[in-house]
């Protein structure tokens, strides 16, 4: 049995060596020269690693589907004149059963491979071919990928078959008597149960390099591989959020936000700013006061907001914001699909920002008086006279917004980041009646919101011992103290809220005082989601989750109708409003 280095493992991921079946028949479609021998399949930890990497390779193949379904069906993305009938169907919610974007089979194919890998991991543990720790880490990771895929199936198709046993093909699921559909809430319960008692930590750090290293947590070519793998606590938090178990969701989110501090204990800057929108990383800021033309907006300055999507420095700069991201390398298949979807230089330019999305950004006023939310200016660029979703293209475009090499289509699938985490944390806290906590996460930060002023003096005391902290029970026990008398720095003292990082004024404090306004704060969070997370694959889920929670499908329907009407298609907007006004109408037709 050949062992392989982590550079080889990384190449497997980038080359997307798609796994077709993890049975004893074969491991991959094509066996590279240095690939593990398929006749000795699932014999040791290296084979298990190949299975994990192969599944993530397959996951790359649905990146375009993930973005299209979660954005085009919602209110921030629209088709261009180049789009075909199937993309237009998604936009207007007139999807037919033959629409390839509405086909659930690509999700189930990966799920079938997850099921087979997990069954083989069980056998390997029983036969002592995996240590308990190696088994726990790899089983939990593949199980989480399966849960992620099932969550997407539930979001888009509602009631779906839930299968965890190995099956030969997806076609076996067509037998409804053997594999009945599970409703979305029951599906969420099953997914939560499948993850809650499993390992939730990352892969253990590598202690060695080269062929003798068995860890999947290492660094190759400057890429920290831990960012390739789904963060299980973020995913479990999202499952709790969808199911209405808000305190449990908040517990997961808070744990992740404090990752850096827990690891370093305040011994370095990273311990304070990792996974928190803060005043030292990725800001909407200007090099000259009063000059809006000096917005920091390039590929080389990693502290501007654009640096989130284009930072040239790997490691701490990127991992302070990104929690889960999978690269598309210019030298290996599959080709970055976002260039084809969004770029009018080397791509087909099929999708762009909706007029409603642009209006939302343009209606804002920044804290310094500049018109418009600058995140819109960075997310959507005018290139060759056309509005282009640039957020997904910054690893392909240079500072002049021209491809460095039109044949080199590198990029990243940006799946989950600190802003996603903090806004989901805010949503969970809000629904757990911790509206002030939600306000601090979304708007201006805990140090400001909980910084009591002595009555009648208008001053803030130097001693912050009893200030700048929530003094609430877990998971809302947030410490943002930043005092010099005595000197103390709480884990959250640099956190400033998503809006403050974007140079926007604070939300109205009447959202949390004197009477907490849960629906009003929730509306503000979802609006902030739109401004911060547009085109990242979050929007349909955000709108659907609130619609289901409020038992009000028109909450979602009205936003889709407004998009279509703003784009000049009022008739389609009315049709979509009618279709989406029932819970059943929110889901795609399910056909295997």
């Amino acid at each position: 049995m050949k062992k392989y280095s982590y550079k080889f493992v990384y190449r497997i991921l980038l080359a997307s060596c798609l796994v077709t079946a993890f049975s004893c028949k074969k491991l991959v479609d094509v066996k590279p020269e240095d690939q593990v021998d398929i006749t000795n399949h699932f014999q040791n930890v290296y084979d298990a690693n190949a299975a994990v990497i192969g599944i993530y390779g397959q996951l790359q193949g649905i990146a375009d589907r993930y973005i299209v379904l979660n954005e085009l069906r919602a209110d921030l993305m629209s088709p261009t004149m180049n789009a075909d009938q199937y993309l237009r169907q998604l936009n207007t919610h007139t999807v037919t059963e033959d629409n390839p974007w509405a086909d659930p089979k690509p999700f189930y194919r990966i799920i079938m491979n997850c099921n087979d890998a997990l069954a083989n991991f069980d056998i390997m543990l029983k036969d002592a071919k995996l240590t308990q720790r190696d088994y726990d880490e790899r089983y939990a990771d593949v199980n989480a990928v399966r849960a992620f895929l099932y969550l997407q199936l539930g979001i888009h198709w509602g009631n779906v078959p839930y299968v965890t046993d190995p099956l030969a093909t997806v076609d076996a699921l067509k037998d409804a008597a053997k594999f009945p559909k599970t409703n979305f809430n029951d599906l969420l319960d099953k997914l939560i149960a499948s993850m809650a008692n499993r390992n939730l930590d990352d892969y253990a750090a590598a202690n060695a390099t080269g062929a003798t290293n068995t860890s999947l947590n290492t660094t190759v070519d400057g890429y920290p591989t831990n960012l390739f793998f789904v963060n299980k606590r973020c995913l479990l938090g999202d499952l709790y959020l969808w199911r209405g178990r808000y305190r449990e969701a908040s517990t997961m989110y808070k744990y992740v936000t404090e990752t850096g501090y827990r690891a370093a204990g305040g011994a370095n800057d990273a311990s304070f700013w990792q996974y928190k929108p803060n005043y030292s990383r990725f800001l909407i800021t200007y090099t000259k006061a009063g000059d809006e033309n000096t917005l920091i907006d390039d590929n080389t300055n990693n502290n501007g907001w654009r640096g989130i999507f284009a930072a040239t420095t790997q490691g701490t700069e990127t991992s302070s914001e990104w929690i889960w991201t999978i690269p598309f390398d210019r030298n290996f298949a599959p080709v970055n699909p976002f260039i084809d979807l969004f770029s009018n230089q080397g791509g087909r330019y099929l999708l762009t920002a909706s007029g409603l999305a642009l209006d939302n950004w343009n209606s804002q006023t920044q804290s310094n008086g500049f018109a418009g939310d600058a995140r819109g200016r960075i997310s959507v660029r005018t290139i060759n006279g056309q509005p282009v979703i640039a957020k997904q293209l910054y690893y392909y475009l240079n500072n002049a917004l021209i491809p460095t090499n039109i044949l080199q289509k590198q990029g990243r699938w940006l799946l989950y980041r600190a802003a996603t985490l903090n806004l989901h944390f805010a949503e969970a806290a809000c629904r757990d009646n911790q509206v002030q906590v939600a306000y601090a996460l979304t708007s201006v930060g805990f140090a400001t919101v909980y910084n009591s002023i002595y009555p009648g003096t208008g001053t803030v005391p130097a001693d912050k011992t009893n200030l700048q902290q929530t003094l609430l029970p877990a998971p809302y026990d947030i410490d943002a103290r930043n005092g010099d008398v005595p000197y103390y720095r709480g884990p959250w003292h640099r956190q400033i809220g998503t809006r403050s990082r974007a140079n926007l004024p604070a939300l109205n404090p009447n959202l949390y005082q004197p009477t907490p306004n849960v629906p009003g704060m929730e509306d503000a969070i979802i609006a902030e989601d739109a401004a911060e997370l547009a085109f990242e694959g979050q929007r349909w889920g955000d709108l659907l989750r609130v619609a289901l929670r409020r038992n009000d499908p028109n909450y979602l329907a009205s936003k889709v109708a407004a998009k279509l009407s703003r784009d000049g298609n009022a008739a389609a907007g009315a049709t979509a409003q009618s279709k989406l006004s029932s819970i059943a109408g929110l889901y795609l037709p399910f056909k295997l």
Side-chain angles (χ1 to χ4, degrees):
M1 169 74 65
K2 292 184 179 180
K3 297 179 181 179
Y4 47 84
S5 71
Y6 275 87
K7 184 157 290 192
F8 178 66
V9 170
Y10 172 66
R11 297 306 184 197
I12 297 175
L13 179 59
L14 293 181
S16 188
C17 296
L18 303 184
V19 180
T20 58
F22 283 115
S23 66
C24 293
K25 295 179 181 178
K26 64 178 184 176
L27 177 63
V28 291
D29 287 329
V30 179
K31 175 188 166 187
E33 182 179 348
D34 293 327
Q35 180 81 11
V36 292
D37 186 348
I38 60 175
T39 61
N40 294 317
H41 184 36
F42 282 119
Q43 296 300 305
N44 57 32
V45 67
Y46 299 102
D47 296 346
N49 287 350
V52 174
I53 295 299
I55 285 170
Y56 276 94
Q58 276 197 308
L59 199 61
Q60 281 183 298
I62 64 165
D64 55 349
R65 188 174 301 266
Y66 173 84
I67 295 295
V68 168
L69 291 179
N70 282 300
E71 296 293 344
L72 185 57
R73 299 182 70 212
D75 59 340
L76 306 179
M77 189 180 287
S78 296
T80 68
M81 294 296 293
N82 300 335
D84 64 16
Q85 61 173 323
Y86 298 118
L87 290 172
R88 295 181 184 280
Q89 287 178 5
L90 290 173
N91 185 55
T92 57
H93 292 269
T94 54
V95 174
T96 55
E97 286 189 346
D98 64 337
N99 189 313
W101 295 100
D103 183 0
K105 288 194 292 295
F107 293 89
Y108 274 109
R109 290 190 185 103
I110 308 174
I111 287 171
M112 294 302 101
N113 288 332
C114 290
N115 290 347
D116 201 71
L118 295 174
N120 277 285
F121 290 167
D122 286 339
I123 296 171
M124 294 177 76
L125 178 66
K126 180 182 177 182
D127 294 345
K129 294 178 180 179
L130 282 179
T131 67
Q132 187 68 52
R133 191 185 79 172
D134 286 345
Y135 167 85
D136 289 343
E137 290 176 347
R138 287 148 186 80
Y139 193 105
D141 189 270
V142 172
N143 180 63
V145 171
R146 181 175 65 184
F148 167 77
L149 293 165
Y150 269 124
L151 176 59
Q152 289 301 307
L153 286 167
I155 287 170
H156 296 295
W157 285 273
N159 301 338
V160 298
Y162 177 70
V163 181
T164 59
D165 295 330
L167 298 175
T169 67
V170 173
D171 287 340
L173 293 172
K174 294 179 180 179
D175 188 342
K178 291 183 179 179
F179 305 107
K181 292 180 180 178
T182 301
N183 71 58
F184 194 11
N185 280 339
D186 288 346
L187 176 65
L188 291 169
D189 289 338
K190 293 177 184 294
L191 298 178
I192 289 169
S194 75
M195 290 190 63
N197 295 318
R198 291 286 174 184
N199 173 64
L200 295 177
D201 295 320
D202 296 333
Y203 288 102
N207 295 317
T209 58
T212 61
N213 180 26
T214 63
S215 174
L216 283 168
N217 183 1
T218 186
T219 299
V220 178
D221 293 346
Y223 289 94
T225 60
N226 64 297
L227 295 180
F228 297 168
F229 305 112
V230 58
N231 185 288
K232 293 180 281 294
R233 281 189 172 84
C234 287
L235 177 58
L236 183 54
D238 285 352
L239 293 172
Y240 283 135
L241 181 63
W242 276 97
R243 194 62 181 99
R245 295 167 61 172
Y246 303 117
R247 187 154 303 186
E248 291 160 295
S250 292
T251 299
M252 291 294 111
Y253 296 142
K254 180 172 181 282
Y255 186 92
V256 179
T257 55
E258 294 185 343
T259 296
Y261 188 83
R262 191 169 50 253
N268 55 52
D269 283 350
S271 64
F272 295 114
W273 47 250
Q274 187 175 27
Y275 300 157
K276 304 178 187 72
N278 63 84
Y279 60 70
S280 56
R281 291 293 184 277
F282 305 132
L283 306 169
I284 292 293
T285 189
Y286 300 82
T287 57
K288 292 183 181 179
D291 187 351
E292 61 185 321
N293 293 318
T294 63
L295 174 69
I296 293 179
D297 175 25
D298 58 59
N299 275 350
T300 58
N301 190 310
N302 295 321
N303 285 335
W305 194 76
R306 176 172 162 178
I308 295 172
F309 313 99
T312 54
T313 302
Q314 302 299 328
T316 55
E317 291 290 347
T318 302
S319 62
S320 68
E321 179 74 16
W322 282 104
I323 300 171
W324 186 19
T325 172
I326 300 175
F328 290 98
D329 192 86
R330 64 191 180 187
N331 297 314
F332 298 96
V335 172
N336 178 358
F338 305 131
I339 294 170
D340 216 28
L341 288 175
F342 303 127
S343 182
N344 59 3
Q345 303 171 94
R348 290 191 292 165
Y349 186 56
L350 303 175
L351 302 170
T352 189
S354 69
L356 185 66
L358 299 176
D359 289 347
N360 290 341
W361 280 309
N362 292 337
S363 66
Q364 301 295 314
T365 301
Q366 295 178 51
S367 297
N368 56 8
F370 292 162
D373 183 338
R375 291 175 295 185
R377 175 176 161 184
I378 294 172
S379 298
V380 182
R381 314 306 290 256
T382 299
I383 301 176
N384 297 329
Q386 296 173 312
V388 172
I389 293 174
K391 183 183 273 189
Q392 299 280 6
L393 300 176
Y394 280 125
Y395 284 96
Y396 172 66
L397 303 175
N398 61 23
N399 285 335
L401 304 179
I402 298 171
T404 303
N405 185 328
I406 204 165
L407 299 178
Q408 295 180 352
K409 300 186 177 182
Q410 65 274 6
R412 284 175 174 266
W413 182 10
L414 308 171
L415 281 148
Y416 211 97
R417 60 187 178 95
T420 320
L421 169 66
N422 281 260
L423 288 167
H424 284 191
F425 189 0
E427 185 182 334
C430 179
R431 276 293 164 174
D432 200 22
N433 295 310
Q434 297 292 345
V435 179
Q436 189 172 358
V437 171
Y439 181 94
L441 284 162
T442 308
S443 186
V444 293
F446 288 93
T448 298
V449 172
Y450 288 87
N451 199 15
S452 301
I453 298 175
Y454 283 159
T457 67
T459 60
V460 179
D463 185 347
K464 305 297 179 65
T465 302
N466 298 312
L467 303 177
Q468 296 182 328
Q469 55 190 311
T470 62
L471 300 176
L472 293 169
Y476 304 114
D477 50 336
I478 307 295
D479 181 358
R481 283 176 287 174
N482 185 11
D484 293 320
V485 185
Y487 181 88
Y488 183 77
R489 298 292 183 265
W492 289 73
H493 80 272
R494 289 193 178 188
Q495 181 262 346
I496 60 173
T498 308
R499 284 180 63 84
S500 289
R501 187 173 72 167
N503 194 40
L504 293 177
L507 295 168
N508 192 327
N510 288 343
L511 287 168
Y512 73 88
Q513 63 180 13
T515 302
N517 181 350
V518 171
M521 187 66 233
E522 185 172 72
D523 287 342
I525 293 166
I526 299 303
E528 188 61 25
D529 286 337
E532 175 73 24
L533 306 176
F535 320 130
E536 295 177 29
Q538 298 290 328
R539 188 58 175 172
W540 179 262
D542 289 340
L543 297 180
L544 177 66
R545 193 165 54 249
V546 176
L548 295 177
R549 179 183 298 145
R550 297 182 181 183
N551 194 26
D552 180 14
N554 277 306
Y555 171 85
L556 187 158
S558 62
K559 296 183 186 304
V560 172
K563 173 187 79 168
L564 294 169
S565 181
R566 172 64 178 80
D567 286 348
N569 203 344
T575 300
Q577 174 99 43
S578 176
K579 181 180 187 301
L580 298 173
S581 62
S582 68
I583 296 296
L586 299 174
Y587 299 111
L588 294 169
F590 185 87
K591 182 181 179 181
L592 287 171

